[in-house]
Amino acid sequence: MGKSKVLVVGGTGYIGRRIVRASLAEGHETYVLQRAELALQIEKLQMLLSFKRQGAHLIEASFSDHQSLVDAVKKVDVVISAISGVHIRSHSIGLQLNLINAIKEAGNVKRFLPSEFGLDPARMGDALEPGRVTFEDKMAVRKAIEEANIPFTYISANLFAGYFAGSLSQMGSFVPPREKVHLFGDGTLKAVFVDEDDVATYTIKTIDDPRTLNKTLYLRPPDNILSQADLIAIWESLIGKQLHKTYISPEGFLATLKGLDYKLQVGIGHFYHIFYEGCLTNFEIGPHGEEASMLYPEVNYTRMDHYLRIYV
């Protein structure tokens, strides 16, 4: 069988652009949705044109035009959505319900990957308010997918390195500190840090793989299962000095959280579950999931000691 034709929705976004590149690199005939509103966003338009020069096809369609979505979906075998789910930028998860309706009507899609790429929302039913809205919205999308009997793969990519590793998981900056650092609790609970290009590579690997059909793929590269303290120790080794450490209690963190703007509360509230509860690593992957590095050992994923060197 030949490689699937792929449509990427949200292809100019943070993860979407990487998925487009990974799809092209793996030799898939790749289509990128071009929404009308991008015509006045020059950087995104130029990115779309750069994809076209690399061999991608651009398809004009809109979430407000059902037939345009149906026509776009009919051209491909696989649809990958990477539209934004981050409240501090543009939370658009609900728009995927329009896309699901189009996929259902088109009837030809053999795999749909909705926009998740973070914590597994199925495990976050007890998440703090207001941050739980992220998981509730994603679960509403999952419900619509499964009720429509659309074949799927969900991607749980854990922590993007650009957001959580480069910053040593500090709030308020995406570059590592050189003098002092805050740790959540005692800093020893394990999390999982994944280079964003590796997220895209693993995502594209799944689309023609029967082992990931109707399952969740967890990205847990074993060398990147690290605590915050582990990550800080890597950075200290790279810069040759010890950072001054301040430890934030759970109570202190929650008190700080309450004073923030709503959008910040939504995103930063997730830190509590990651670093105080260890929600990324405190469970075994069951029969409804697979682990990416075990399925695809050929992927030479980026280790965090290498990742952090660029910041030195």
Side-chain angles (χ1 to χ4, degrees), residues 134-167:
T134 301
F135 310 117
E136 290 172 345
D137 288 351
K138 290 181 178 181
M139 288 305 294
V141 170
R142 286 192 180 192
K143 183 174 184 289
I145 292 168
E146 293 170 26
E147 286 181 347
N149 293 314
I150 296 170
F152 64 84
T153 298
Y154 303 139
I155 306 292
S156 178
N158 293 304
L159 302 182
F160 294 158
Y163 280 83
F164 287 92
S167 67

Side-chain angles (χ1 to χ4, degrees), residues 69-179:
L69 289 177
V70 173
D71 293 342
V73 165
K74 284 183 176 179
K75 294 180 181 292
V76 300
D77 309 301
V78 172
V79 177
I80 303 174
S81 174
I83 64 175
S84 176
V86 180
H87 279 74
I88 59 173
R89 297 172 68 180
S90 171
H91 184 71
S92 305
I93 293 298
L95 289 176
Q96 293 177 108
L97 298 176
N98 299 27
L99 185 58
I100 290 165
N101 288 335
I103 292 171
K104 182 178 179 180
E105 180 174 327
N108 62 294
V109 169
K110 71 176 189 180
R111 196 81 65 98
F112 176 46
L113 286 69
S115 185
E116 294 202 353
F117 306 108
L119 285 67
D120 180 3
R123 300 191 57 82
M124 301 305 296
D126 295 326
L128 296 171
E129 295 281 9
R132 66 183 300 159
V133 66
T134 301
F135 310 117
E136 290 172 345
D137 288 351
K138 290 181 178 181
M139 288 305 294
V141 170
R142 286 192 180 192
K143 183 174 184 289
I145 292 168
E146 293 170 26
E147 286 181 347
N149 293 314
I150 296 170
F152 64 84
T153 298
Y154 303 139
I155 306 292
S156 178
N158 293 304
L159 302 182
F160 294 158
Y163 280 83
F164 287 92
S167 67
L168 306 185
S169 302
Q170 303 299 284
M171 297 182 290
S173 175
F174 295 134
V175 296
R178 291 177 176 269
E179 300 297 333

